[in-house]
Amino acid sequence: MKSLSLVVMIEAALMAAFALILDLLPSIDFSPSISISFSMVPIFILAFRRGFKASLLAGFVWGVLQVALGNAWIVTPVQMIIEYFIAFAFIGFAGLLVNRIQQSLRSGNKSKLYAWIITATVVGSAARYFWHFIAGFIFFREYAPEGMSPVLFSLFANGVTMLGSALLCTIVLVLLIATAPRLIKQGVPVAEDQRKAS
């Protein structure tokens, strides 16, 4: 696997910053433990465009920015590493399906393209929230309702958050890519592609 180019690293940093900005917007909050947003969308776009390594880096940088700017909910250093460095980086697992997405994009097969986008979004979301689930029952067991297993509580809270966020991200991504497929097109910088279109 080739190392990331400077252009790709800059894209990763920009997408991480964009994700952080989206995360500052109001989210759908059902409880302190369940919060649904579409802030992962920039990381997914990078995953569909550049693949696993770039989106893994972008997710990791987003997690670091969360901690650096004081947006993180930190109980212990280990919990911080799990929930902000590892979990956010694991969104990049969506990039494992980049070849399928790019192949569908090149062939013009929209139904396959959207199917792979949905699959990749679920994969990236599940990979992230698996780590939140682990941290949830280890570090936040006191938030479980009385008589409820902390494992079950963490599974429910993070499961609902994961499904809701994946659904919201999928809707936004499909709408974005349906109207601007160049966002995920490989080989052509977005700015350059926009100049050609104008």
Side-chain angles (χ1 to χ4, degrees):
M1 194 181 286
K2 294 178 182 176
S3 60
L4 297 177
S5 70
L6 180 60
V7 171
V8 175
M9 287 193 285
I10 290 169
E11 276 188 43
L14 288 172
M15 289 303 195
F18 190 28
L20 182 71
I21 291 166
L22 291 179
D23 208 22
L24 298 175
L25 298 176
S27 57
I28 302 167
D29 296 326
F30 293 107
S31 75
S33 304
I34 302 172
S35 180
I36 297 169
S37 82
F38 60 94
S39 54
M40 290 186 288
V41 163
I43 312 300
F44 286 131
I45 289 173
L46 187 69
F48 305 159
R49 179 179 167 85
R50 298 293 190 182
F52 174 70
K53 285 178 73 176
S55 51
L56 192 80
L57 174 63
F60 176 77
V61 171
W62 180 21
V64 170
L65 289 173
Q66 291 270 10
V67 172
L69 296 177
N71 295 337
W73 189 1
I74 300 171
V75 178
T76 71
V78 174
Q79 174 264 336
M80 175 191 73
I81 290 167
I82 291 172
E83 289 213 273
Y84 292 95
F85 299 164
I86 297 174
F88 279 64
F90 266 57
I91 301 167
F93 272 72
L96 293 174
L97 297 171
V98 66
N99 291 334
R100 301 281 188 176
I101 290 168
Q102 290 299 316
Q103 187 178 34
S104 301
L105 182 65
R106 283 191 299 271
S107 69
N109 190 330
K110 289 188 177 180
S111 59
K112 269 192 176 180
L113 175 63
Y114 299 143
W116 284 117
I117 284 169
I118 292 165
T119 303
T121 303
V122 171
V123 167
S125 299
R128 172 188 174 179
Y129 283 98
F130 167 78
W131 292 102
H132 291 305
F133 159 68
I134 296 294
F137 72 78
I138 294 172
F139 300 103
F140 299 103
R141 54 192 322 114
E142 68 272 14
Y143 292 97
E146 190 175 344
M148 187 179 193
S149 159
V151 173
L152 204 58
F153 173 69
S154 183
L155 181 63
F156 172 76
N158 288 295
V160 170
T161 303
M162 185 277 285
L163 291 172
S165 295
L167 178 63
L168 193 54
C169 286
T170 297
I171 292 167
V172 172
L173 286 162
V174 168
L175 290 173
L176 274 174
I177 293 163
T179 55
R182 66 182 175 272
L183 287 172
I184 61 167
K185 188 177 178 185
Q186 286 182 339
V188 181
V190 175
E192 181 185 323
D193 200 38
Q194 286 171 338
R195 284 198 300 271
K196 285 180 180 176
S198 58

